[in-house]
Amino acid sequence: MDFTSPPLSLKDNGFSMAPTDPFDSSEDEMERLEEELKKWKKRLEAAEKAKADLLLCKSNAMEEYVKAEDGLIKLKNLQEKQHKEAVMSRDTHEQELYVLNQENAVLKRDTEKLEEDLAECSLMLSQYSQINKEVAEMKLKFAHMEDTKDNYQDMNTQCVFGVTTKIPFRLDQNQVLLTFEDKEVAQRLIKIGKHTVNLDNKTADLRVMPFTLEMGIKFKLHVTISGKKISVSEVPELLIPGDWMRDKLELNFYKSEWGGGEVENVNYDKQSRTAVITFLRPGATNSFVRCTEYPFVVNGTWYRLPVSPDTNVKLENFQLYCGISKKTILLEGIKEMEDDEESVQDMIKIHFQKPNNNGGEIEKIKYASKGVTWVCFEEDT
């Protein structure tokens, strides 16, 4: 190193340092240097503070960044979830719509089928209106008495009747209906199909056919006969208020010597000239079972009023059904005969009674020799 050359000046951030004489330093120079050192310390403190603020801002910014990133991830996940749910919901709705369309198609077919059945039933019912009055007769059969435990207080009588209509069948000219005692005989003859029958030295090839009956009606009637009420009809028309007539009815039916008793209530209908008398004592109507008329005295005039126990009728189990007779066969193929109807009927009966003709015992036979006739069937009991 060359110590003979002159010293160079130092510059640092606007601060210059002139070479000093190491042997001749002044106090002024030292003070100036101290001032410079203080300034640098202040600058360093300010820089350190700025650095600390920047680090804090950076830390806060990082926290905000992490939060924003987490929020973005959550939002993205939520969007994906909502998209999946929307797709699933759309698929579910499409599936439900498909099922509904299928159900609607089934319901439409069922509705059309029901409309066809209704039209068929309406046609059959309209045909019934053209049948002879005898066909509409009903068979009333007593079924059983009902338990009167709940009605013991009034001593009502309850019973059930089974009601079944006769089922009509149209028998055309030269047709025969045969009903056997054993259904196996009828089914055997139907299976054979054709039979050659000798009718007054003439042979006739008869066809044996099964048949189906039209619809019949059956239901149950629940009849309750009151133990405290009676019905009165043909109450005379008098020029008195309704309340007065009600009082006179109560007084007449109060008389025990005529079979009456203490009256609880009188329901009088002037327009229909009827009344319902309610007695206080249960079982009071028993005295009117065999009594069809009751004396009624008003203004010195005697009347005989028709009386009967008050009844309540309830219809249940109303059913339409198609009847099938397994014991009856239909014969066709008989030609015009000169013999009377009864003779032809006897010849047919004799033929089909013989075991060697695959026949059996016959319950009933009906032969239509002229025109159309109606035959009525009843339900087997």
Side-chain angles (χ1 to χ4, degrees):
M1 179 179 294
D2 187 6
F3 290 101
T4 60
S5 60
L8 299 174
S9 64
L10 299 176
K11 292 183 179 181
D12 186 7
N13 200 15
F15 175 70
S16 63
M17 294 181 65
T20 60
D21 185 0
F23 304 103
D24 188 17
S25 297
S26 66
E27 292 182 0
D28 293 337
E29 187 66 22
M30 290 297 294
E31 288 178 0
R32 187 179 63 77
L33 291 173
E34 288 178 357
E35 289 294 330
E36 289 292 336
L37 181 60
K38 289 179 181 179
K39 289 180 181 180
W40 278 106
K41 285 182 177 180
K42 288 181 181 180
R43 289 182 181 180
L44 179 61
E45 289 176 357
E48 291 289 339
K49 185 178 180 182
K51 179 181 178 182
D53 291 341
L54 288 173
L55 290 174
L56 181 61
C57 289
K58 179 181 178 182
S59 176
N60 293 335
M62 286 298 296
E63 290 180 0
E64 293 295 330
Y65 172 77
V66 171
K67 290 181 180 179
E69 190 174 18
D70 290 342
L72 182 62
I73 293 173
K74 290 180 180 179
L75 181 61
K76 185 176 180 181
N77 292 337
L78 179 61
Q79 288 178 342
E80 291 178 354
K81 182 180 179 182
Q82 289 178 344
H83 177 70
K84 290 180 180 178
E85 290 178 350
V87 172
M88 292 177 63
S89 177
R90 183 191 64 193
D91 294 342
T92 302
H93 288 161
E94 289 178 353
Q95 182 67 23
E96 291 177 350
L97 182 61
Y98 175 77
V99 172
L100 287 175
N101 289 334
Q102 293 294 107
E103 291 178 352
N104 286 338
V106 173
L107 288 174
K108 185 177 180 180
R109 289 195 297 268
D110 292 343
T111 302
E112 293 174 352
K113 180 66 169 57
L114 289 173
E115 289 177 350
E116 292 176 358
D117 293 344
L118 180 61
E120 183 178 352
C121 290
S122 300
L123 178 61
M124 296 177 71
L125 289 174
S126 65
Q127 291 175 351
Y128 284 157
S129 62
Q130 302 174 3
I131 297 175
N132 192 291
K133 185 178 180 182
E134 181 183 358
V135 176
E137 291 181 0
M138 296 187 179
K139 182 180 179 181
L140 183 67
K141 179 184 177 182
F142 175 77
H144 59 84
M145 298 288 291
E146 285 191 322
D147 185 12
T148 57
K149 182 178 179 180
D150 296 337
N151 297 292
Y152 178 76
Q153 184 177 358
D154 294 338
M155 294 186 67
N156 294 340
T157 302
Q158 293 184 328
C159 50
V160 179
F161 294 89
V163 182
T164 307
T165 60
K166 295 180 179 180
I167 306 176
F169 179 77
R170 174 184 169 127
L171 192 64
D172 292 330
Q173 186 174 355
N174 293 325
Q175 287 183 336
V176 182
L177 279 178
L178 272 176
T179 301
F180 294 91
E181 293 182 358
D182 188 356
K183 66 179 181 181
E184 293 181 359
V185 176
Q187 297 305 309
R188 183 169 61 244
L189 292 172
I190 291 173
K191 188 175 292 186
I192 295 173
K194 291 185 179 181
H195 293 267
T196 301
V197 181
N198 186 8
L199 300 177
D200 195 17
N201 298 323
K202 295 180 181 179
T203 58
D205 294 326
L206 303 186
R207 296 183 301 276
V208 181
M209 304 174 62
F211 66 98
T212 302
L213 298 172
E214 300 292 342
M215 285 197 303
I217 300 172
K218 59 182 179 180
F219 54 88
K220 288 184 178 180
L221 285 179
H222 292 254
V223 181
T224 301
I225 304 173
S226 176
K228 294 179 62 177
K229 297 180 180 180
I230 62 170
S231 298
V232 183
S233 58
E234 298 182 14
V235 178
E237 294 184 79
L238 302 176
L239 298 177
I240 59 175
D243 292 342
W244 292 13
M245 178 61 76
R246 192 176 295 108
D247 293 340
K248 290 183 180 296
L249 287 168
E250 181 177 352
L251 289 173
N252 270 264
F253 282 94
Y254 197 94
K255 297 177 180 180
S256 58
E257 63 270 21
W258 292 348
E262 189 173 354
V263 176
E264 180 181 347
N265 181 52
V266 176
N267 188 359
Y268 168 61
D269 185 3
K270 186 174 182 179
Q271 185 175 0
S272 62
R273 297 173 56 197
T274 60
V276 176
I277 312 297
T278 304
F279 293 97
L280 189 62
R281 179 177 61 86
T285 60
N286 292 337
S287 58
F288 293 91
V289 172
R290 297 183 179 179
C291 175
T292 58
E293 292 183 338
Y294 190 85
F296 180 60
V297 183
V298 57
N299 297 335
T301 304
W302 284 71
Y303 300 91
R304 304 291 294 183
L305 303 184
V307 295
S308 62
D310 186 69
T311 58
N312 180 28
V313 180
K314 183 170 64 174
L315 186 149
E316 289 185 355
N317 298 338
F318 185 89
Q319 297 178 357
L320 292 174
Y321 67 97
C322 288
I324 299 176
S325 179
K326 294 184 179 181
K327 295 164 54 177
T328 305
I329 61 174
L330 177 66
L331 300 177
E332 292 183 347
I334 300 178
K335 298 180 180 179
E336 294 290 337
M337 301 283 295
E338 295 181 358
D339 296 325
D340 60 279
E341 183 176 296
E342 186 175 352
S343 299
V344 176
Q345 193 167 276
D346 290 339
M347 287 184 282
I348 295 173
K349 184 175 182 181
I350 292 171
H351 175 87
F352 283 99
Q353 276 181 331
K354 294 179 180 180
N356 58 351
N357 292 330
N358 294 300
E361 291 297 323
I362 296 175
E363 284 185 358
K364 292 182 181 178
I365 181 171
K366 181 61 179 176
Y367 167 54
S369 61
K370 298 179 181 180
V372 176
T373 186
W374 289 94
V375 180
C376 295
F377 286 80
E378 294 180 357
E379 186 183 30
D380 289 338
T381 56

